[in-house]
Structure formats: C-alpha cells, structure tokens
Amino acid sequence: MSFWESFWDIIWWFFWVFVFVSYLMVLFNIVADLFRDHTLNGWWKAVWIIFLIFVPFLTALIYLIARGRGMAERAAASYRQQQDAADTYIRSVAGTSATDEIEKASKLLAAGTITDAEFAAIKARALA
C-alpha cells in the first residue's frame, strides 16, 4: 500500500467521523428543541421522536426544513432567558440595586464626569 492511498483513506475516515458527529449534534438539537417547544403537544413530540428513531436522516431533514425558523427563535429566546437569569443573579450577588446605580451616576454627574444624556441612559438602564 502506498503512502498516498493510506493518506486519502485517513482523510476519508476523518470526513465520515465529522459527518457522523455533525449528524449527532443535529439530532440532539432537534430533541432539545422538541422539549423546549411548549406549543407542540406531547403526541406530536412522540411522533417526531418515533420517526427520528426509525427514519432518522429523513426525519431530521424534514424537521429542519419545516421547523427550522421556530427552532432558531426558541433557541434565541432560551438564550435571552438564561442571560437575564444570569444578569439578575450577578446583580443580586453584587449587591447593587437600581438606587445604588442611580446614586453613583448622580455623583458622577455632579462631579462633571458624565453628561446629562449619559446620566439619563444610566438611569433608564438601572430602572429597566
């Protein structure tokens, strides 16, 4: 066996490993999206799962075509919810409240460090 034959066999093997791992990631994302979707009832979720088990490639392709936009929207909403929860937790641990932030901003305004527009932006963000 020559060097180039074995080289291309290795490249081919890595390609198929990449395809398989990518396919598994798509399947896991589809299952996660099914359970994240609160508008879809349990029977439809079960049907999707059954088809994913028995006809996985075709079902995954159909799912991505039919529900891809909603999948992206649910993922973005989940990310925003997690980000808001993390921000709330950080604020609670840091001990800063809206009143503290506005007070700090008013001291900066009185010292001339920030402008009225910046103070208004900080105040609006603290009260949000």
Side-chain angles (χ1 to χ4, degrees):
M1 184 182 287
S2 74
F3 171 75
W4 289 110
E5 285 180 23
S6 63
F7 174 76
W8 289 113
D9 288 340
I10 292 170
I11 296 296
W12 192 246
W13 182 82
F14 274 111
F15 171 75
W16 283 112
V17 168
F18 172 77
V19 168
F20 180 70
V21 170
S22 300
Y23 177 68
L24 286 179
M25 290 176 63
V26 168
L27 282 180
F28 289 140
N29 280 328
I30 289 172
V31 171
D33 183 62
L34 279 172
F35 289 104
R36 188 182 298 135
D37 187 7
H38 299 293
T39 61
L40 197 63
N41 68 22
W43 289 105
W44 282 111
K45 289 178 185 181
V47 168
W48 278 112
I49 294 292
I50 288 170
F51 276 103
L52 278 172
I53 291 171
F54 291 111
V55 191
F57 184 75
L58 182 63
T59 305
L61 190 62
I62 291 171
Y63 189 89
L64 292 175
I65 292 169
R67 297 177 50 91
R69 180 180 303 243
M71 191 175 180
E73 291 169 357
R74 284 184 291 279
S78 174
Y79 174 76
R80 280 192 302 273
Q81 183 182 12
Q82 291 173 0
Q83 187 66 40
D84 291 342
D87 290 344
T88 302
Y89 175 74
I90 291 170
R91 282 191 198 107
S92 71
V93 171
T96 58
S97 64
T99 307
D100 294 336
E101 290 185 33
I102 293 172
E103 183 180 337
K104 289 178 190 175
S106 66
K107 287 179 184 176
L108 291 173
L109 179 64
T113 308
I114 61 174
T115 64
D116 289 329
E118 291 171 328
F119 174 74
I122 293 170
K123 184 177 176 182
R125 186 177 58 221
L127 294 175

